[in-house]
Every structure is written in C-alpha cells, then in structure tokens.
Amino acid sequence: MTPGRDDARRDAHRISASLTDPRIIDPRQELVRHDDLSEEELAQIVRLLAAMREWRDADQRLSFESRTHMKLNETDMRALRYIIASMNAQVPVTAGALSDHLRISTASTTKLLDRLERAGHVVRRPHPTDRRAVTVEITPETHREVRRTMGLQHARRFEVARALSTADRDTVTRFLQDLSATTLAAVPAAPADPDAAPETDPAPRADAPRG
C-alpha cells in the first residue's frame, strides 16, 4: 500500500474515532460549549460518549445478526419478544395488544402475524374467554432460538448491572433517563425558505391508523 493510502486510512480512522468529540464535530462551539472544561474533563466526557456509541453499535450488530439468522425484520423480533414476555406472565396476546405495543395499524399487525405464522414462528389459537378473538403464541422452536440469542444477551447485561453498587445504578439510571429525554425532545424547525415551493400534505398510507 502506498504512503498516501496509508495516510488516508489513518485519517479516516481518526475521524471515525472522534465522532463524539465536540472539538471535531463542533469546533466553533455553535452547539456544544466546552471551553469551560479542562482537557481532562473533556476527554472523560468524550470517552463516555464513545463508549455509549460502541455499545449502541454492538447492540445493533447483535440484533441484526439475530434477525438475519431467523429471517426476521426488527418489528418481527419486537413482536416475538413481546409475545414471549406475555406468555411468561400468563397474559393472552391478542392482535390488538400487539398492535398497541408495536404502534402499528391493525392491518399491518395482521400482515405481520400472517408472515410469522407462515414462517412457523407463531400460531393462532382461540381466545380462552372471548369467542370473537384469537390469541397468538410463539412456537417452541422459535422460543428456544430467541432465548439462545437475545435472551442470553439480556442475561449478560443483567449481570453487568448487578455488579454495580446501588448508588452507581441510580446514577446510571438518571443519566440514561436524561439522555432519553434529549432524544425525545423536538428538533427545532429549519427557517422557512421564502423561495421554496409550498409543501403539500403527503397522501396517507393505506395501512395508516385512522383517528
């Protein structure tokens, strides 16, 4: 490999490793003020944000590998995990409950269950008390596979959390809750462009829930 290519690879690696560093992503401090921090404090914050990014990337890789192995999409996997939790709690799973949990329309839920049933992941059964409804159960084979992948990983995460002190758990919980609040905060609208063409309302999706 030529020296120029080596330099390019090193630069690319350096930028990839600094995507959480405000000195790189916001050097003029337009969004993130950091001139009131010592170098040690700033480096510690950057390490924390980088560790969070590594965890998120690792979690996404695991989820993708599990879904790919089972030939599922993300919503499918969320549905299976909900069904398992409900069955463990001895709560019948209806299509309506699943629709509410996944926040998708009734039509989309029906298509999802049809797909999972055809693949042998779930079965529909008569509701034990409501003749008009059916319940959904996960098949034993799929249950074992989900436990082997996602369930085992959750168990390992539980052990990491258990190793923390009570005070550290409270600190981490507050931090993650505050972090979630920043993600849910509304993004300010961009200034209107007077020369832009007026926008029209998009046509509603066929499977969108109706108010």
Side-chain angles (χ1 to χ4, degrees):
M1 187 174 289
T2 64
R5 235 176 240 182
D6 285 341
D7 291 342
R9 288 175 66 89
R10 281 193 294 269
D11 286 343
H13 179 74
R14 178 172 61 84
I15 297 301
S16 295
S18 63
L19 291 178
T20 57
D21 191 335
R23 291 167 295 191
I24 301 297
I25 61 175
D26 188 23
R28 291 187 292 274
Q29 301 189 57
E30 295 171 325
L31 296 174
V32 182
R33 182 187 173 191
H34 51 80
D35 57 4
D36 58 333
L37 298 170
S38 68
E39 284 298 314
E40 182 180 354
E41 289 177 311
L42 181 55
Q44 185 182 40
I45 294 172
V46 170
R47 285 196 302 271
L48 173 58
L49 295 176
M52 288 171 46
R53 183 168 177 258
E54 291 173 3
W55 143 248
R56 185 173 63 249
D57 290 347
D59 184 57
Q60 289 174 346
R61 284 196 304 272
L62 172 69
S63 179
F64 176 77
E65 290 170 1
S66 298
R67 297 196 314 266
T68 300
H69 174 69
M70 299 180 68
K71 299 180 180 179
L72 301 170
N73 62 38
E74 185 173 357
T75 304
D76 294 341
M77 184 63 81
R78 289 177 57 211
L80 293 180
R81 293 177 66 183
Y82 178 81
I83 295 170
I84 290 174
S86 297
M87 290 177 62
N88 288 343
Q90 298 183 343
V91 174
V93 182
T94 63
L98 196 57
S99 177
D100 290 342
H101 173 71
L102 299 174
R103 298 182 181 179
I104 59 177
S105 69
T106 301
S108 294
T109 302
T110 299
K111 292 177 183 177
L112 178 148
L113 291 175
D114 288 344
R115 183 171 63 251
L116 293 178
E117 191 169 37
R118 283 195 303 269
H121 294 305
V122 303
V123 293
R124 290 175 168 108
R125 301 190 187 282
H127 194 283
T129 59
D130 186 352
R131 293 184 178 180
R132 298 169 300 175
V134 297
T135 62
V136 184
E137 296 180 8
I138 195 168
T139 61
E141 296 80 4
T142 297
H143 193 175
R144 284 194 295 269
E145 185 62 23
V146 174
R147 283 178 57 85
R148 187 187 69 81
T149 54
M150 305 304 293
L152 180 60
Q153 187 65 19
H154 178 73
R156 291 169 177 164
R157 295 170 186 166
F158 185 89
E159 291 302 320
V160 172
R162 183 160 67 176
L164 296 174
S165 68
T166 302
D168 284 347
R169 287 188 208 117
D170 285 341
T171 299
V172 173
T173 299
R174 286 194 303 270
F175 170 71
L176 293 176
Q177 289 172 339
D178 290 346
L179 202 65
S180 296
T182 68
T183 304
L184 297 174
V187 176
D193 183 354
D195 298 325
E199 294 184 359
T200 57
D201 292 335
R205 290 180 13 230
D207 63 345
R210 300 178 182 272

